[in-house]
Amino acid sequence: MRKNIIAGNWKMNLDHAAGLELFAEILTLINDDVKGDQKVVVCPPYIHITSLTQLLKGNPTIAIGAQNCHHADSGAYTGEISASMLKSSGAEYVIIGHSERRAFFAEDDLVIAKKLDSVLKNKLSPIFCIGETLEQRNTGTHFGVIESQLKGAAFHLDEAQFKKLVLAYEPVWAIGTGLTAAPEQAQEVHAFIRSKVAEQYSHELANELTILYGGSCNPKNAAELFGQEDIDGGLIGGASLKARDFIDIIMVFNS
Ligand code: PGA
C-alpha cells in the first residue's frame, strides 16, 4: 500500500511570527481523523524549521521539510545550508529539483543528482520534483523530458536508495498559474513515471513509490486529482499558505 503524502511548500513567504501563526493554526485544525498511513509535510523557509519541529511534540502525522539544500556536508559555501544541518534542525524531508530552483538558480540534473545523494546520505527523505515547461508540452516532448530528468538526476541510485524517494510531478506551466493539469493529463504522466521506474528497477518498487502532483492544486480540484490511480498526494504551494485550504486538501484522503 502506497503512502499518501500532502506536502506544503511555503516558498519564500511568511516572516517568523507569521510562519509560527500559520503552523499553530494547521496543528489546531488537523484532527485525529487524519489516517495513520497519510503523512503531512510542511516545508517552510529554513529559519522556521527548528521552531516548527519544537511545536510538533512528536506528532507522528506531520513532519517538517526544507525546500532545498547544498550538496556538500560543510565548507566555504557562503549562504548555503547542508542536508546534515537540516537533519540536526529536525527536518525529515527536503524538496530537491523544484522547477523554480532549476529556472532561477540554474540547477541542472548533475547538481540535483548530488543533492539527492547528500539528502539520502543524511537519512532525510527527498521530494524529487520533475516536470515539463509549457513549450515542451506543446511540442509533445514532455515524456522525453520527464524521462531524461529521471535518468539524469536519479537513476544512478541503487534500488534501496531510490525506494526512499518521494517523486513529485509538477508541470511548470501549472505552478502558481491557476492552470491545473487535467486529472487525466496528470494521471498519464504519473503512470509513465511508474513505468520508467519499473523498467529501471522493478514493478514492486514502482508500485510502492509515492508520486505527488503539484501545480495549482486547491481544495476544489484536489479530490479529482488524488482520485487518479497513480496520484498519491500533492505538493501544494499557494494553497498551503492558508490553513483552511491546506487542511481541506489533506482531508480529501479522509472522505
Ligand atoms: P502552486 O505551487 O501550488 O502554487 O502551483 C506548487 C509548487 O510549486 O510546489
Short mmCIF file of all heavy atoms in Angstrom, two decimals, residues 155-220:
data_model
loop_
_atom_site.label_atom_id
_atom_site.label_comp_id
_atom_site.label_asym_id
_atom_site.label_seq_id
_atom_site.Cartn_x
_atom_site.Cartn_y
_atom_site.Cartn_z
N PHE A 155 18.44 8.03 -11.63
CA PHE A 155 18.58 6.60 -11.94
C PHE A 155 19.98 6.05 -11.67
O PHE A 155 20.23 4.86 -11.88
CB PHE A 155 18.15 6.31 -13.39
CG PHE A 155 16.65 6.17 -13.56
CD1 PHE A 155 16.08 5.96 -14.81
CD2 PHE A 155 15.80 6.24 -12.46
CE1 PHE A 155 14.70 5.82 -14.97
CE2 PHE A 155 14.41 6.11 -12.61
CZ PHE A 155 13.86 5.90 -13.87
N HIS A 156 20.89 6.91 -11.17
CA HIS A 156 22.19 6.37 -10.71
C HIS A 156 22.04 5.73 -9.34
O HIS A 156 22.92 5.02 -8.89
CB HIS A 156 23.23 7.50 -10.64
CG HIS A 156 22.93 8.51 -9.57
ND1 HIS A 156 21.89 9.43 -9.68
CD2 HIS A 156 23.48 8.72 -8.35
CE1 HIS A 156 21.85 10.16 -8.58
NE2 HIS A 156 22.79 9.75 -7.76
N LEU A 157 20.94 6.01 -8.65
CA LEU A 157 20.73 5.46 -7.30
C LEU A 157 20.48 3.96 -7.39
O LEU A 157 19.91 3.48 -8.37
CB LEU A 157 19.52 6.14 -6.64
CG LEU A 157 19.62 7.67 -6.45
CD1 LEU A 157 18.28 8.24 -6.00
CD2 LEU A 157 20.72 8.02 -5.45
N ASP A 158 20.90 3.23 -6.36
CA ASP A 158 20.56 1.81 -6.37
C ASP A 158 19.13 1.64 -5.85
O ASP A 158 18.51 2.62 -5.38
CB ASP A 158 21.59 0.97 -5.60
CG ASP A 158 21.61 1.27 -4.11
OD1 ASP A 158 20.57 1.69 -3.57
OD2 ASP A 158 22.67 1.10 -3.49
N GLU A 159 18.61 0.44 -5.95
CA GLU A 159 17.20 0.22 -5.64
C GLU A 159 16.85 0.61 -4.19
O GLU A 159 15.81 1.24 -3.94
CB GLU A 159 16.84 -1.25 -5.91
CG GLU A 159 15.37 -1.52 -5.79
CD GLU A 159 14.90 -2.75 -6.56
OE1 GLU A 159 15.65 -3.26 -7.42
OE2 GLU A 159 13.78 -3.19 -6.30
N ALA A 160 17.74 0.29 -3.26
CA ALA A 160 17.47 0.60 -1.85
C ALA A 160 17.41 2.12 -1.64
O ALA A 160 16.61 2.61 -0.83
CB ALA A 160 18.56 -0.01 -0.97
N GLN A 161 18.24 2.85 -2.38
CA GLN A 161 18.22 4.32 -2.25
C GLN A 161 16.99 4.91 -2.92
O GLN A 161 16.30 5.77 -2.35
CB GLN A 161 19.47 4.92 -2.91
CG GLN A 161 20.76 4.61 -2.18
CD GLN A 161 21.97 5.06 -3.00
OE1 GLN A 161 22.05 4.85 -4.21
NE2 GLN A 161 22.91 5.70 -2.33
N PHE A 162 16.69 4.44 -4.12
CA PHE A 162 15.57 5.01 -4.89
C PHE A 162 14.24 4.82 -4.14
O PHE A 162 13.35 5.67 -4.21
CB PHE A 162 15.50 4.39 -6.29
CG PHE A 162 14.64 5.19 -7.23
CD1 PHE A 162 15.19 6.19 -8.02
CD2 PHE A 162 13.27 4.97 -7.31
CE1 PHE A 162 14.39 6.96 -8.86
CE2 PHE A 162 12.46 5.73 -8.15
CZ PHE A 162 13.03 6.72 -8.93
N LYS A 163 14.17 3.72 -3.44
CA LYS A 163 12.98 3.40 -2.63
C LYS A 163 12.63 4.50 -1.63
O LYS A 163 11.48 4.65 -1.23
CB LYS A 163 13.31 2.14 -1.84
CG LYS A 163 12.32 1.05 -1.91
CD LYS A 163 12.79 -0.05 -1.00
CE LYS A 163 11.84 -1.20 -1.07
NZ LYS A 163 12.49 -2.44 -0.70
N LYS A 164 13.64 5.26 -1.21
CA LYS A 164 13.43 6.28 -0.17
C LYS A 164 12.93 7.60 -0.76
O LYS A 164 12.61 8.54 -0.03
CB LYS A 164 14.74 6.52 0.58
CG LYS A 164 15.31 5.23 1.18
CD LYS A 164 16.07 5.50 2.46
CE LYS A 164 16.31 4.24 3.26
NZ LYS A 164 17.31 3.36 2.66
N LEU A 165 12.86 7.69 -2.08
CA LEU A 165 12.42 8.93 -2.71
C LEU A 165 10.90 9.07 -2.70
O LEU A 165 10.18 8.07 -2.76
CB LEU A 165 12.85 8.93 -4.19
CG LEU A 165 14.12 9.68 -4.60
CD1 LEU A 165 15.31 9.28 -3.77
CD2 LEU A 165 14.39 9.50 -6.07
N VAL A 166 10.47 10.32 -2.62
CA VAL A 166 9.08 10.66 -2.95
C VAL A 166 9.21 11.45 -4.24
O VAL A 166 10.06 12.34 -4.34
CB VAL A 166 8.45 11.55 -1.86
CG1 VAL A 166 7.06 12.01 -2.26
CG2 VAL A 166 8.42 10.83 -0.52
N LEU A 167 8.44 11.13 -5.25
CA LEU A 167 8.52 11.88 -6.50
C LEU A 167 7.38 12.91 -6.56
O LEU A 167 6.32 12.67 -5.98
CB LEU A 167 8.43 10.93 -7.71
CG LEU A 167 9.78 10.61 -8.35
CD1 LEU A 167 10.68 9.90 -7.38
CD2 LEU A 167 9.62 9.80 -9.61
N ALA A 168 7.64 14.01 -7.22
CA ALA A 168 6.56 14.99 -7.43
C ALA A 168 6.57 15.39 -8.90
O ALA A 168 7.58 15.90 -9.40
CB ALA A 168 6.77 16.21 -6.54
N TYR A 169 5.46 15.12 -9.56
CA TYR A 169 5.30 15.60 -10.94
C TYR A 169 4.68 16.98 -10.89
O TYR A 169 3.54 17.13 -10.41
CB TYR A 169 4.42 14.65 -11.76
CG TYR A 169 4.01 15.26 -13.09
CD1 TYR A 169 4.97 15.72 -13.99
CD2 TYR A 169 2.66 15.42 -13.43
CE1 TYR A 169 4.60 16.31 -15.20
CE2 TYR A 169 2.29 16.01 -14.63
CZ TYR A 169 3.27 16.45 -15.51
OH TYR A 169 2.90 17.05 -16.69
N GLU A 170 5.44 17.96 -11.33
CA GLU A 170 4.95 19.34 -11.32
C GLU A 170 5.14 19.96 -12.70
O GLU A 170 6.23 20.45 -13.02
CB GLU A 170 5.73 20.17 -10.28
CG GLU A 170 5.55 19.70 -8.85
CD GLU A 170 5.75 20.84 -7.88
OE1 GLU A 170 6.80 21.49 -7.92
OE2 GLU A 170 4.84 21.10 -7.09
N PRO A 171 4.09 19.95 -13.53
CA PRO A 171 4.22 20.63 -14.82
C PRO A 171 4.47 22.12 -14.56
O PRO A 171 3.71 22.76 -13.83
CB PRO A 171 2.85 20.40 -15.49
CG PRO A 171 1.94 19.87 -14.44
CD PRO A 171 2.75 19.39 -13.29
N VAL A 172 5.57 22.64 -15.12
CA VAL A 172 5.98 24.01 -14.81
C VAL A 172 4.86 25.00 -15.15
O VAL A 172 4.64 25.98 -14.44
CB VAL A 172 7.28 24.36 -15.58
CG1 VAL A 172 7.72 25.78 -15.30
CG2 VAL A 172 8.39 23.38 -15.20
N TRP A 173 4.12 24.72 -16.23
CA TRP A 173 3.05 25.62 -16.67
C TRP A 173 1.86 25.66 -15.71
O TRP A 173 0.99 26.52 -15.82
CB TRP A 173 2.57 25.21 -18.07
CG TRP A 173 2.29 23.74 -18.24
CD1 TRP A 173 3.20 22.80 -18.61
CD2 TRP A 173 1.06 23.05 -18.04
NE1 TRP A 173 2.60 21.57 -18.64
CE2 TRP A 173 1.29 21.69 -18.31
CE3 TRP A 173 -0.23 23.46 -17.66
CZ2 TRP A 173 0.29 20.72 -18.20
CZ3 TRP A 173 -1.23 22.49 -17.57
CH2 TRP A 173 -0.96 21.14 -17.83
N ALA A 174 1.83 24.74 -14.76
CA ALA A 174 0.71 24.72 -13.80
C ALA A 174 1.09 25.32 -12.46
O ALA A 174 0.23 25.53 -11.60
CB ALA A 174 0.24 23.28 -13.60
N ILE A 175 2.38 25.61 -12.25
CA ILE A 175 2.82 26.09 -10.93
C ILE A 175 2.52 27.57 -10.75
O ILE A 175 3.02 28.41 -11.50
CB ILE A 175 4.33 25.81 -10.73
CG1 ILE A 175 4.58 24.30 -10.74
CG2 ILE A 175 4.82 26.44 -9.43
CD1 ILE A 175 6.03 23.91 -10.61
N GLY A 176 1.67 27.85 -9.77
CA GLY A 176 1.36 29.24 -9.43
C GLY A 176 0.57 29.98 -10.50
O GLY A 176 0.44 31.20 -10.44
N THR A 177 0.05 29.27 -11.48
CA THR A 177 -0.62 29.93 -12.60
C THR A 177 -2.14 29.81 -12.54
O THR A 177 -2.84 30.50 -13.27
CB THR A 177 -0.17 29.29 -13.93
OG1 THR A 177 -0.48 27.88 -13.88
CG2 THR A 177 1.31 29.47 -14.17
N GLY A 178 -2.62 28.89 -11.70
CA GLY A 178 -4.06 28.61 -11.69
C GLY A 178 -4.45 27.64 -12.79
O GLY A 178 -5.60 27.22 -12.89
N LEU A 179 -3.50 27.28 -13.64
CA LEU A 179 -3.76 26.33 -14.72
C LEU A 179 -3.42 24.91 -14.24
O LEU A 179 -2.30 24.45 -14.45
CB LEU A 179 -2.86 26.63 -15.93
CG LEU A 179 -3.13 27.84 -16.79
CD1 LEU A 179 -2.03 28.00 -17.81
CD2 LEU A 179 -4.49 27.67 -17.49
N THR A 180 -4.35 24.25 -13.61
CA THR A 180 -4.07 22.90 -13.13
C THR A 180 -4.06 21.93 -14.30
O THR A 180 -4.83 22.09 -15.25
CB THR A 180 -5.20 22.44 -12.18
OG1 THR A 180 -5.59 23.55 -11.41
CG2 THR A 180 -4.75 21.31 -11.28
N ALA A 181 -3.21 20.91 -14.22
CA ALA A 181 -3.28 19.86 -15.24
C ALA A 181 -4.61 19.14 -15.07
O ALA A 181 -5.10 18.96 -13.95
CB ALA A 181 -2.13 18.88 -15.04
N ALA A 182 -5.22 18.75 -16.18
CA ALA A 182 -6.44 17.95 -16.08
C ALA A 182 -6.06 16.64 -15.39
O ALA A 182 -4.95 16.14 -15.60
CB ALA A 182 -6.99 17.67 -17.47
N PRO A 183 -6.97 16.08 -14.58
CA PRO A 183 -6.64 14.84 -13.87
C PRO A 183 -6.11 13.76 -14.81
O PRO A 183 -5.16 13.06 -14.48
CB PRO A 183 -7.97 14.43 -13.24
CG PRO A 183 -8.71 15.71 -13.09
CD PRO A 183 -8.30 16.59 -14.22
N GLU A 184 -6.69 13.67 -16.02
CA GLU A 184 -6.24 12.63 -16.97
C GLU A 184 -4.83 12.92 -17.48
O GLU A 184 -4.04 12.00 -17.69
CB GLU A 184 -7.18 12.55 -18.20
CG GLU A 184 -8.65 12.31 -17.89
CD GLU A 184 -9.36 13.53 -17.29
OE1 GLU A 184 -9.01 14.67 -17.64
OE2 GLU A 184 -10.28 13.33 -16.45
N GLN A 185 -4.53 14.23 -17.66
CA GLN A 185 -3.18 14.60 -18.11
C GLN A 185 -2.16 14.23 -17.04
O GLN A 185 -1.10 13.67 -17.34
CB GLN A 185 -3.09 16.14 -18.29
CG GLN A 185 -3.55 16.67 -19.61
CD GLN A 185 -3.45 18.19 -19.64
OE1 GLN A 185 -3.74 18.88 -18.65
NE2 GLN A 185 -3.04 18.73 -20.78
N ALA A 186 -2.47 14.54 -15.79
CA ALA A 186 -1.55 14.23 -14.70
C ALA A 186 -1.41 12.71 -14.55
O ALA A 186 -0.30 12.19 -14.46
CB ALA A 186 -2.05 14.86 -13.40
N GLN A 187 -2.53 12.02 -14.58
CA GLN A 187 -2.52 10.55 -14.45
C GLN A 187 -1.63 9.91 -15.52
O GLN A 187 -0.85 9.00 -15.23
CB GLN A 187 -3.95 10.01 -14.52
CG GLN A 187 -4.09 8.50 -14.76
CD GLN A 187 -3.41 7.63 -13.71
OE1 GLN A 187 -3.25 8.02 -12.56
NE2 GLN A 187 -2.97 6.43 -14.12
N GLU A 188 -1.74 10.41 -16.73
CA GLU A 188 -0.96 9.86 -17.84
C GLU A 188 0.55 9.94 -17.55
O GLU A 188 1.29 8.98 -17.76
CB GLU A 188 -1.29 10.68 -19.10
CG GLU A 188 -0.82 10.08 -20.39
CD GLU A 188 -1.11 11.00 -21.59
OE1 GLU A 188 -1.20 12.24 -21.41
OE2 GLU A 188 -1.22 10.47 -22.70
N VAL A 189 0.96 11.10 -17.03
CA VAL A 189 2.39 11.26 -16.73
C VAL A 189 2.79 10.44 -15.51
O VAL A 189 3.86 9.81 -15.50
CB VAL A 189 2.75 12.76 -16.54
CG1 VAL A 189 4.22 12.91 -16.17
CG2 VAL A 189 2.45 13.55 -17.81
N HIS A 190 1.93 10.40 -14.49
CA HIS A 190 2.25 9.59 -13.30
C HIS A 190 2.43 8.12 -13.69
O HIS A 190 3.35 7.45 -13.23
CB HIS A 190 1.16 9.73 -12.24
CG HIS A 190 1.26 11.00 -11.45
ND1 HIS A 190 1.28 11.03 -10.07
CD2 HIS A 190 1.36 12.29 -11.86
CE1 HIS A 190 1.39 12.29 -9.66
NE2 HIS A 190 1.43 13.07 -10.73
N ALA A 191 1.54 7.63 -14.55
CA ALA A 191 1.64 6.22 -14.99
C ALA A 191 2.93 6.02 -15.79
O ALA A 191 3.60 4.99 -15.66
CB ALA A 191 0.42 5.85 -15.82
N PHE A 192 3.29 7.03 -16.59
CA PHE A 192 4.52 6.95 -17.37
C PHE A 192 5.74 6.88 -16.44
O PHE A 192 6.65 6.06 -16.62
CB PHE A 192 4.62 8.18 -18.29
CG PHE A 192 5.90 8.28 -19.05
CD1 PHE A 192 6.14 7.48 -20.17
CD2 PHE A 192 6.92 9.16 -18.64
CE1 PHE A 192 7.34 7.56 -20.87
CE2 PHE A 192 8.12 9.25 -19.34
CZ PHE A 192 8.33 8.44 -20.45
N ILE A 193 5.75 7.74 -15.41
CA ILE A 193 6.86 7.74 -14.45
C ILE A 193 6.97 6.36 -13.80
O ILE A 193 8.05 5.77 -13.71
CB ILE A 193 6.64 8.82 -13.35
CG1 ILE A 193 6.72 10.23 -13.96
CG2 ILE A 193 7.66 8.66 -12.21
CD1 ILE A 193 6.25 11.35 -13.05
N ARG A 194 5.83 5.82 -13.40
CA ARG A 194 5.84 4.50 -12.74
C ARG A 194 6.39 3.42 -13.70
O ARG A 194 7.14 2.54 -13.30
CB ARG A 194 4.42 4.15 -12.26
CG ARG A 194 4.41 3.59 -10.85
CD ARG A 194 3.01 3.27 -10.37
NE ARG A 194 2.29 4.39 -9.77
CZ ARG A 194 2.61 4.96 -8.62
NH1 ARG A 194 3.62 4.52 -7.90
NH2 ARG A 194 1.91 5.98 -8.15
N SER A 195 6.04 3.53 -14.98
CA SER A 195 6.51 2.52 -15.93
C SER A 195 8.03 2.62 -16.12
O SER A 195 8.71 1.62 -16.25
CB SER A 195 5.78 2.65 -17.27
OG SER A 195 6.26 3.77 -17.98
N LYS A 196 8.56 3.83 -16.11
CA LYS A 196 10.02 4.01 -16.26
C LYS A 196 10.75 3.49 -15.03
O LYS A 196 11.83 2.91 -15.14
CB LYS A 196 10.36 5.50 -16.48
CG LYS A 196 9.93 6.04 -17.80
CD LYS A 196 10.74 5.38 -18.93
CE LYS A 196 9.90 5.12 -20.13
NZ LYS A 196 10.53 4.26 -21.13
N VAL A 197 10.16 3.70 -13.86
CA VAL A 197 10.78 3.20 -12.62
C VAL A 197 10.74 1.67 -12.61
O VAL A 197 11.70 1.01 -12.21
CB VAL A 197 10.06 3.80 -11.38
CG1 VAL A 197 10.54 3.15 -10.08
CG2 VAL A 197 10.27 5.31 -11.32
N ALA A 198 9.65 1.11 -13.12
CA ALA A 198 9.54 -0.36 -13.19
C ALA A 198 10.61 -0.92 -14.13
O ALA A 198 11.25 -1.92 -13.82
CB ALA A 198 8.15 -0.76 -13.66
N GLU A 199 10.81 -0.23 -15.25
CA GLU A 199 11.84 -0.66 -16.22
C GLU A 199 13.23 -0.62 -15.61
O GLU A 199 14.04 -1.51 -15.79
CB GLU A 199 11.84 0.32 -17.39
CG GLU A 199 11.20 -0.19 -18.67
CD GLU A 199 11.09 0.95 -19.67
OE1 GLU A 199 12.11 1.58 -20.04
OE2 GLU A 199 9.96 1.24 -20.05
N GLN A 200 13.51 0.46 -14.89
CA GLN A 200 14.85 0.68 -14.34
C GLN A 200 15.12 -0.19 -13.10
O GLN A 200 16.22 -0.70 -12.92
CB GLN A 200 15.00 2.16 -13.96
CG GLN A 200 16.32 2.54 -13.32
CD GLN A 200 17.47 2.53 -14.31
OE1 GLN A 200 17.26 2.52 -15.53
NE2 GLN A 200 18.69 2.52 -13.79
N TYR A 201 14.10 -0.36 -12.27
CA TYR A 201 14.27 -1.09 -11.00
C TYR A 201 13.40 -2.34 -11.01
O TYR A 201 13.83 -3.38 -11.47
CB TYR A 201 13.97 -0.16 -9.82
CG TYR A 201 14.92 1.01 -9.74
CD1 TYR A 201 14.54 2.28 -10.21
CD2 TYR A 201 16.21 0.88 -9.21
CE1 TYR A 201 15.42 3.36 -10.16
CE2 TYR A 201 17.10 1.96 -9.16
CZ TYR A 201 16.69 3.19 -9.63
OH TYR A 201 17.55 4.26 -9.58
N SER A 202 12.18 -2.21 -10.52
CA SER A 202 11.28 -3.37 -10.50
C SER A 202 9.84 -2.90 -10.42
O SER A 202 9.57 -1.75 -10.03
CB SER A 202 11.59 -4.24 -9.27
OG SER A 202 11.28 -3.51 -8.10
N HIS A 203 8.92 -3.78 -10.78
CA HIS A 203 7.49 -3.45 -10.69
C HIS A 203 7.11 -3.22 -9.23
O HIS A 203 6.30 -2.36 -8.92
CB HIS A 203 6.65 -4.57 -11.30
CG HIS A 203 6.65 -4.52 -12.79
ND1 HIS A 203 5.91 -3.61 -13.51
CD2 HIS A 203 7.34 -5.24 -13.69
CE1 HIS A 203 6.13 -3.77 -14.80
NE2 HIS A 203 7.00 -4.76 -14.95
N GLU A 204 7.72 -4.00 -8.37
CA GLU A 204 7.40 -3.88 -6.94
C GLU A 204 7.75 -2.48 -6.44
O GLU A 204 6.93 -1.82 -5.79
CB GLU A 204 8.19 -4.95 -6.18
CG GLU A 204 7.66 -5.21 -4.81
CD GLU A 204 8.64 -5.99 -3.96
OE1 GLU A 204 9.76 -6.31 -4.42
OE2 GLU A 204 8.28 -6.24 -2.80
N LEU A 205 8.95 -2.03 -6.74
CA LEU A 205 9.36 -0.70 -6.30
C LEU A 205 8.45 0.38 -6.93
O LEU A 205 8.00 1.30 -6.25
CB LEU A 205 10.82 -0.45 -6.68
CG LEU A 205 11.49 0.78 -6.05
CD1 LEU A 205 13.01 0.62 -6.07
CD2 LEU A 205 11.13 2.07 -6.74
N ALA A 206 8.18 0.22 -8.21
CA ALA A 206 7.33 1.21 -8.91
C ALA A 206 5.95 1.29 -8.27
O ALA A 206 5.39 2.38 -8.11
CB ALA A 206 7.21 0.85 -10.38
N ASN A 207 5.43 0.15 -7.88
CA ASN A 207 4.09 0.12 -7.27
C ASN A 207 4.06 0.76 -5.89
O ASN A 207 3.03 1.26 -5.45
CB ASN A 207 3.59 -1.32 -7.14
CG ASN A 207 3.00 -1.78 -8.45
OD1 ASN A 207 2.53 -0.97 -9.24
ND2 ASN A 207 3.04 -3.09 -8.67
N GLU A 208 5.20 0.71 -5.20
CA GLU A 208 5.25 1.26 -3.84
C GLU A 208 5.62 2.73 -3.79
O GLU A 208 5.53 3.37 -2.75
CB GLU A 208 6.27 0.47 -2.99
CG GLU A 208 5.72 -0.86 -2.53
CD GLU A 208 6.79 -1.73 -1.92
OE1 GLU A 208 7.89 -1.24 -1.63
OE2 GLU A 208 6.51 -2.92 -1.75
N LEU A 209 6.05 3.27 -4.93
CA LEU A 209 6.54 4.63 -4.97
C LEU A 209 5.42 5.66 -4.83
O LEU A 209 4.42 5.60 -5.55
CB LEU A 209 7.26 4.83 -6.32
CG LEU A 209 7.99 6.14 -6.53
CD1 LEU A 209 9.22 6.23 -5.65
CD2 LEU A 209 8.40 6.25 -8.00
N THR A 210 5.59 6.59 -3.91
CA THR A 210 4.62 7.67 -3.78
C THR A 210 4.95 8.76 -4.79
O THR A 210 6.05 9.29 -4.81
CB THR A 210 4.66 8.26 -2.34
OG1 THR A 210 4.24 7.25 -1.42
CG2 THR A 210 3.75 9.47 -2.20
N ILE A 211 3.98 9.09 -5.65
CA ILE A 211 4.18 10.14 -6.65
C ILE A 211 3.13 11.23 -6.43
O ILE A 211 1.92 10.98 -6.54
CB ILE A 211 4.09 9.60 -8.10
CG1 ILE A 211 4.97 8.36 -8.29
CG2 ILE A 211 4.50 10.70 -9.10
CD1 ILE A 211 4.91 7.75 -9.69
N LEU A 212 3.61 12.43 -6.10
CA LEU A 212 2.71 13.55 -5.82
C LEU A 212 2.48 14.37 -7.08
O LEU A 212 3.34 14.41 -7.97
CB LEU A 212 3.34 14.47 -4.76
CG LEU A 212 3.90 13.80 -3.50
CD1 LEU A 212 4.48 14.86 -2.56
CD2 LEU A 212 2.81 13.00 -2.80
N TYR A 213 1.34 15.04 -7.13
CA TYR A 213 1.09 16.01 -8.20
C TYR A 213 1.23 17.41 -7.60
O TYR A 213 0.76 17.67 -6.48
CB TYR A 213 -0.32 15.85 -8.79
CG TYR A 213 -0.66 17.05 -9.64
CD1 TYR A 213 -0.16 17.16 -10.93
CD2 TYR A 213 -1.39 18.12 -9.11
CE1 TYR A 213 -0.38 18.31 -11.69
CE2 TYR A 213 -1.63 19.27 -9.86
CZ TYR A 213 -1.11 19.35 -11.15
OH TYR A 213 -1.32 20.49 -11.89
N GLY A 214 1.84 18.31 -8.33
CA GLY A 214 1.94 19.70 -7.88
C GLY A 214 1.69 20.66 -9.02
O GLY A 214 2.12 20.43 -10.16
N GLY A 215 0.99 21.76 -8.73
CA GLY A 215 0.72 22.78 -9.73
C GLY A 215 -0.72 23.25 -9.61
O GLY A 215 -1.62 22.59 -10.11
N SER A 216 -0.91 24.38 -8.88
CA SER A 216 -2.25 24.97 -8.70
C SER A 216 -3.26 23.98 -8.14
O SER A 216 -4.44 24.01 -8.52
CB SER A 216 -2.74 25.58 -10.01
OG SER A 216 -1.87 26.62 -10.42
N CYS A 217 -2.81 23.12 -7.25
CA CYS A 217 -3.72 22.20 -6.58
C CYS A 217 -4.45 22.98 -5.48
O CYS A 217 -3.85 23.78 -4.77
CB CYS A 217 -2.88 21.07 -5.98
SG CYS A 217 -3.86 19.71 -5.43
N ASN A 218 -5.75 22.79 -5.36
CA ASN A 218 -6.53 23.54 -4.37
C ASN A 218 -7.67 22.65 -3.85
O ASN A 218 -7.87 21.54 -4.34
CB ASN A 218 -7.04 24.86 -4.99
CG ASN A 218 -7.94 24.62 -6.19
OD1 ASN A 218 -8.83 23.75 -6.15
ND2 ASN A 218 -7.73 25.36 -7.26
N PRO A 219 -8.42 23.14 -2.85
CA PRO A 219 -9.47 22.27 -2.28
C PRO A 219 -10.53 21.85 -3.31
O PRO A 219 -11.19 20.84 -3.14
CB PRO A 219 -10.10 23.14 -1.19
CG PRO A 219 -9.06 24.15 -0.85
CD PRO A 219 -8.31 24.41 -2.11
N LYS A 220 -10.69 22.64 -4.36
CA LYS A 220 -11.73 22.31 -5.35
C LYS A 220 -11.30 21.20 -6.31
O LYS A 220 -12.13 20.38 -6.73
CB LYS A 220 -12.08 23.56 -6.17
CG LYS A 220 -12.86 24.58 -5.39
CD LYS A 220 -13.63 25.50 -6.35
CE LYS A 220 -14.43 26.52 -5.56
NZ LYS A 220 -13.61 27.68 -5.15
#
